Amino acid sequence: MPTSSRTPAGNSTTTAPDLPAIQRHTVRVLIAAQILGGIGMGSVLSIGAVMAAELSGSEALSGTAATLSTLGAAASAIPLARLAQRLGRRAALTTGAFIAASGSLTVIGAAALGSFPLLLLAFALLGVGTAVNLQSRFAATDVASPEHRGRDLSLVVWFTTVGAVLGPNLIGPGEVVAETLGMPELTGPFLIAVGAQLAAAIVYLIALRPDPYLISRATPSDPKDDAPGMVRGRGALIFAIGSIAASHAVMVSVMSMTPVHLVNHGVTLTIVGLTISLHIAGMYALSPVFGWLSDRVGRVGTILIGQALFAVALVTVAFGEDDPVLVTIGLILLGLGWSASTVSGSALVADLVTGAARARIQSRTDLSMNLAGAFGGAASGLVLSMVGYSGLAWSAGLLVLLIVAGATTMRTARPLSA
């Protein structure tokens, strides 16, 4: 690489940076940290609703686990993006990972004290880890070539599979650790998550150099980009953000109530953990396929594939609510639908926003996504108590119809990324 100079943020830059090499290094670092950070996310998804129901004494409040986690992610999206704008992705991602680790510690404290309000705070802090995962997928596009944005973004998303699938399966080993140390029931996996989240923070802090966002600011990929950045196609951008948000609400609303539904039907926590692991595998395992599809056949078309998968998933869980096997199949399909919609929608956002505007618009995307997820998580507990699990699935189907209508309008009105 040519001789480097120092920026005010302390990151190494060059007059002619080797962007492909920087991108390869960035993706490798993001992948390593995503594997570690995913463990904490998997723990809260599989155990959070059960812990909330036990500490609150009300099944209707079980959705607060997903609600507070997504609210935490939403509340931290813009501050982390502003930190990235000022100091780069490394500072933002490191800070967020440390906060997520404090959330896992707070879960343990809440369980020890039997404090439901403290548990809600813990879930909100853990939600910052979700914001870190979301920002990481956009970090993968900072210096990516336009024809490979979907692929690189989806690779980072894919490797979240390892940690996120491992997290729910740590229930058994975690409880052995908790029993050995005299910790409260269900808290063992969160102790393991603390170590993983701290390790992710260290990876970001030490290895994410040079900073991809600062490089992208100094080296715009398009010579027509102005300093503050620009947005191309506001209608398409609104659709992209809306499809990501609504898809996330569909996924969170059904997924967050599945552990409670299964436990109420006599399913063991080990099987619940396996079900959520398979769901998370669906969320991430085929993301490179959907990234490739979004690059090859178009962003909007891949979003529609995601909605078709959602439709099959919701029908499966609605008619098979009393069969744990069918519920598990439905949850896998639900994860696949989320993956197709989120990967292609995020790639479309990256296509439409350039320069310094990227972090700002991307943070609004994540904010919208997490607010929608928070609403879905909050409403799901009430819907479950009123109309049951199948009624929850049919209700989520209304959002799928809304996204399909928007996608159809987009493809009819304009061929952009169709």
Side-chain angles (χ1 to χ4, degrees):
M1 186 176 291
T3 303
S4 64
S5 60
R6 304 296 291 182
T7 67
N11 290 276
S12 176
T13 62
T14 68
T15 55
D18 185 351
L19 294 182
I22 292 172
Q23 176 65 3
R24 288 192 296 271
H25 173 74
T26 297
V27 170
R28 287 195 295 267
V29 171
L30 293 173
I31 284 171
Q34 286 290 86
I35 291 172
L36 295 165
I39 292 176
M41 182 178 68
S43 297
V44 72
L45 288 177
S46 59
I47 310 173
V50 177
M51 291 186 73
E54 288 190 359
L55 283 185
S56 68
S58 172
E59 183 180 289
L61 293 176
S62 56
T64 56
T67 301
L68 268 295
S69 178
T70 49
L71 281 176
S76 59
I78 289 178
L80 288 178
R82 287 177 176 171
L83 187 58
Q85 284 181 303
R86 290 179 54 218
L87 300 177
R89 299 284 191 191
R90 183 167 63 92
L93 298 176
T94 300
T95 300
F98 276 124
I99 294 173
S102 73
S104 291
L105 283 173
T106 306
V107 168
I108 298 171
L113 297 172
S115 173
F116 182 61
L118 187 59
L119 184 68
L120 296 182
L121 173 62
F123 288 144
L125 293 173
L126 279 167
V128 180
T130 301
V132 169
N133 288 338
L134 293 175
Q135 191 176 120
S136 293
R137 81 191 193 283
F138 283 128
T141 70
D142 283 337
V143 294
S145 59
E147 63 271 19
H148 292 144
R149 279 194 189 115
R151 182 200 65 185
D152 291 352
L153 182 152
S154 65
L155 281 174
V156 172
V157 171
W158 185 82
F159 273 94
T160 308
T161 309
V162 179
V165 171
L166 181 61
N169 285 294
L170 292 176
I171 293 176
E175 286 308 289
V176 172
V177 172
E179 185 176 353
T180 302
L181 298 177
M183 295 169 58
E185 187 180 4
L186 300 179
T187 59
F190 290 96
L191 183 62
I192 298 173
V194 172
Q197 289 160 333
L198 289 176
I202 292 170
V203 169
Y204 287 129
L205 180 64
I206 295 176
L208 197 58
R209 299 169 183 265
D211 192 289
Y213 181 74
L214 298 181
I215 290 291
S216 72
R217 289 281 300 271
T219 313
S221 59
D222 187 339
K224 295 181 290 185
D225 289 354
D226 54 19
M230 58 187 292
V231 174
R232 305 186 181 101
R234 292 189 179 274
L237 183 61
I238 291 171
F239 165 75
I241 295 174
S243 66
I244 292 170
S247 295
H248 195 57
V250 171
M251 187 277 293
V252 170
S253 62
V254 177
M255 175 278 301
S256 62
M257 289 300 100
T258 298
V260 176
H261 171 72
L262 292 176
V263 168
N264 287 344
H265 279 66
V267 177
T268 66
L269 285 177
T270 300
I271 298 301
V272 170
L274 176 62
T275 297
I276 298 301
S277 291
L278 292 173
H279 164 69
I280 296 172
M283 290 173 65
Y284 300 112
L286 294 187
S287 57
V289 174
F290 296 127
W292 178 84
L293 281 173
S294 72
D295 285 338
R296 299 299 178 187
V297 305
R299 316 299 192 204
V300 178
T302 309
I303 290 172
L304 284 171
I305 292 173
Q307 302 315 301
L309 289 166
F310 270 155
V312 177
L314 295 174
V315 170
T316 300
V317 299
F319 285 110
E321 63 174 339
D322 295 325
D323 186 339
V325 174
L326 288 178
V327 170
T328 300
I329 292 172
L331 263 286
I332 294 170
L333 293 170
L334 190 76
L336 291 172
W338 180 89
S339 181
S341 302
T342 303
V343 166
S344 51
S346 299
L348 182 54
V349 171
D351 290 341
L352 297 169
V353 186
T354 68
R358 275 204 178 111
R360 173 170 52 86
I361 298 299
Q362 289 164 359
S363 69
R364 292 178 183 177
T365 301
D366 291 343
L367 174 63
S368 300
M369 178 179 182
N370 285 300
L371 286 177
F375 174 79
S380 61
L382 295 174
V383 174
L384 180 70
S385 63
M386 290 188 297
V387 297
Y389 191 63
S390 62
L392 175 63
W394 295 125
S395 300
L398 297 176
L399 289 176
V400 174
L401 293 176
L402 184 63
I403 300 170
V404 170
T408 303
T409 302
M410 279 288 301
R411 290 171 67 89
T412 302
R414 186 176 183 179
L416 176 66
S417 296

